[in-house]
Amino acid sequence: MQIQENISLKPYNTFGIDVNARYYSCFKDSTELSELLTAYPRTYRLVLGGGSNILLTRHVDGLVMKNGIKGIRVVKEDEEFVYVQAGAGEPWHSFVLYCIEQQWAGVENLSLIPGSVGAAPMQNIGAYGVELKDVFHELKAFHIEEKTNYTFGLKDCCFGYRESVFKSKYRDQFVILHVTFKLRKKPAYTISYGAIEEQLQKMGVQELSIRAISDAVIAIRSSKLPDPAVTGNAGSFFKNPVVTAAQAAQLKARFENIVLYQQADGSCKLAAGWLIEHCGPAVGTRWKGYREGDAGCHPQQALVLVNYGTATGQQLLSLSDRIAASVVEKFDVQLEKEVNIF
Ligand code: FAD
Ligand code: NAP
């Protein structure tokens, strides 16, 4: 296992932030992971997957451990479901395409999300009405201090909206090694969300299939979202805030066109992108499309902050704080960061 010293992390985070790691290594299995942890007992450790949900604001004066655990295999099946285990280092979108190839249904709405399989449970990734928890069976994780493996079932992960126990209570304590998914042999389609139905019609799809849904999602995403290979970004910077029904009614009375979605428990989810679109750095200006040096707010997606080249993590963080403050000032709604700040 190779250990590199003082390397730039620019190729390893989709924001393209140029900070250094004192030590960097990619582990292929739990034995290599254990060896790494033993070799650097008192060093700060940062686990990295695809680096697509992290903003690096400083050098990592410690060890960056990139998850390189690969492999996809069926562990069991019954009439309805196939249970598929994937290594945490598998790229998420390749895994989705593999499932579609095998006619295993459930992850098609989650096509084209960057990053690794192992980070997917971290924030219970979600898109177009499907969340990781809907297809999750269990995961294996390595406890960094105890150096032992644990198995987490659905309830143990405490999945919530872009949340899990690994992002809160157990933050930085576990390395996810493998995730097992419960996928359907007969699909149950989710097409009620956003623009999927419209896109399927545009594509002239006569017969619904998991491949058609995946193609539709890929087409929508490619047209709306900046490609990190071209413009540095980490997707949505903030979560969509959830407010009480009473707060939602007050907001609706003041801002007639506000975008809100009623939740099953009576609360309301607000579209953070809409809130940001209606705020700006100064009176009469808008954040959407705003640029300050190489840090900016994407012209098509106000929820996505971008690095046009040489922005630092601190510059992007400072911009995000000003955006959040302007949303509080105008709407009295606090935005919470979705991206992990290091
Ligand atoms: P990283 O950025 O490498 O890591 C994220 C966090 O998880 C870090 O704190 C890291 O320490 C930790 N971590 C990583 N791997 C492990 C592991 N194996 N064990 C323990 N901890 C680990 N997200 C969505 O939910 N829905 C979307 O639709 C979506 N669209 C996106 C579109 C774009 C263009 C981009 C750039 C991002 C998007 N994201 C989306 C965010 C991101 O892709 C996901 O959150 C993804 O799961 C992050 O995976 P990663 O491997 O890149 O994680
Ligand atoms: P969109 O379709 O323009 O919708 C804006 C927001 O409204 C979304 O964030 C979505 O919330 C919500 N929404 C739309 N239709 C809804 C419905 N029928 N019921 C409940 N909520 C609804 O969104 P977009 O920005 O193009 O993104 C499309 C999907 O991809 C969304 O699910 C979004 O979360 C996901 N995405 C995530 C990231 C990320 O980094 N996390 C980046 C890009 C896209 P939800 O976000 O709660 O779904």
Side-chain angles (χ1 to χ4, degrees):
M1 187 179 23
Q2 200 195 0
I3 295 161
Q4 294 171 271
E5 283 190 42
N6 296 319
I7 67 152
S8 167
L9 290 175
K10 191 172 175 167
Y12 302 112
N13 72 100
T14 61
F15 254 127
I17 303 295
D18 193 6
V19 292
N20 285 350
R22 176 116 182 252
Y23 307 106
Y24 173 92
S25 187
C26 178
F27 59 92
K28 306 280 185 303
D29 51 39
S30 58
T31 311
E32 286 195 353
L33 171 62
S34 185
E35 281 169 19
L36 260 180
L37 294 170
T38 307
Y40 295 92
R42 274 174 291 277
T43 312
Y44 179 83
R45 293 101 160 209
L46 175 68
V47 188
L48 213 53
S52 65
N53 202 15
I54 194 161
L55 178 65
L56 298 165
T57 62
R58 56 197 154 103
H59 296 301
V60 184
D61 186 17
L63 172 67
V64 172
M65 306 183 293
K66 179 154 168 89
N67 198 317
I69 302 175
K70 294 287 166 64
I72 302 174
R73 67 186 183 101
V74 173
V75 287
K76 64 175 182 177
E77 58 185 301
D78 54 35
E79 263 187 26
E80 248 184 296
F81 297 103
V82 55
Y83 295 78
V84 183
Q85 187 189 72
E90 286 287 346
W92 174 261
H93 182 56
S94 309
F95 169 69
V96 170
L97 294 182
Y98 183 80
C99 294
I100 290 167
E101 202 62 40
Q102 308 303 315
Q103 292 294 317
W104 298 331
V107 284
E108 54 280 359
N109 290 50
L110 303 176
S111 294
L112 213 61
I113 297 181
S116 60
V117 163
M122 280 292 296
Q123 71 157 13
N124 179 29
I125 56 166
Y128 300 102
V130 173
E131 290 181 333
L132 177 101
K133 70 170 173 47
D134 304 327
V135 289
F136 180 86
H137 178 58
E138 65 177 30
L139 65 76
K140 296 238 176 319
F142 187 87
H143 193 285
I144 291 178
E145 289 307 323
E146 294 174 14
K147 294 207 183 66
T148 45
N149 285 337
Y150 281 78
T151 300
F152 288 79
L154 186 61
K155 280 197 182 138
D156 307 320
C157 294
C158 303
F159 289 126
Y161 172 62
R162 305 289 191 267
E163 273 301 338
S164 78
V165 76
F166 302 103
K167 210 174 167 180
S168 49
K169 186 172 147 195
Y170 294 145
R171 183 177 268 280
D172 298 332
Q173 292 183 39
F174 284 94
V175 179
I176 296 168
L177 305 171
H178 290 98
V179 184
T180 304
F181 300 87
K182 185 180 173 183
L183 301 171
R184 288 183 178 277
K185 291 184 171 175
K186 255 200 195 151
Y189 303 117
T190 305
I191 57 162
S192 56
Y193 217 74
I196 296 192
E197 220 157 349
E198 199 184 306
Q199 182 63 32
L200 287 167
Q201 274 180 10
K202 231 193 253 176
M203 289 170 14
V205 171
Q206 304 288 339
E207 208 177 316
L208 209 50
S209 66
I210 54 174
R211 184 172 295 279
I213 292 181
S214 170
D215 287 346
V217 169
I218 290 171
I220 305 166
R221 294 185 74 107
S222 307
S223 71
K224 286 181 86 170
L225 287 167
D227 177 357
V230 179
T231 310
N233 76 92
S236 307
F237 199 88
F238 300 101
K239 293 179 186 178
N240 287 322
V242 177
V243 299
T244 62
Q247 269 177 294
Q250 279 173 7
L251 284 163
K252 188 82 187 155
R254 284 177 60 209
F255 307 97
E256 202 189 338
N257 298 323
I258 194 166
V259 178
L260 38 86
Y261 296 93
Q262 182 100 41
Q263 303 296 285
D265 64 1
S267 63
C268 263
K269 181 178 72 182
L270 308 176
W274 189 93
L275 300 176
I276 298 169
E277 270 180 40
H278 290 80
C279 295
V283 179
T285 62
R286 291 281 179 256
W287 290 117
K288 198 175 181 180
Y290 176 78
R291 180 170 175 171
E292 201 172 70
D294 274 350
C297 185
H298 194 258
Q300 270 90 48
Q301 272 283 3
L303 196 47
V304 177
L305 298 194
V306 288
N307 174 13
Y308 288 106
T310 58
T312 64
Q314 283 295 346
Q315 285 167 339
L316 283 155
L317 186 62
S318 148
L319 176 61
S320 78
D321 286 342
R322 283 155 57 211
I323 290 172
S326 69
V327 169
V328 171
E329 195 181 315
K330 180 153 185 179
F331 298 105
D332 196 19
V333 171
Q334 186 67 56
L335 294 180
E336 195 187 329
K337 292 180 188 74
E338 182 178 308
V339 169
N340 299 278
I341 309 297
F342 173 83

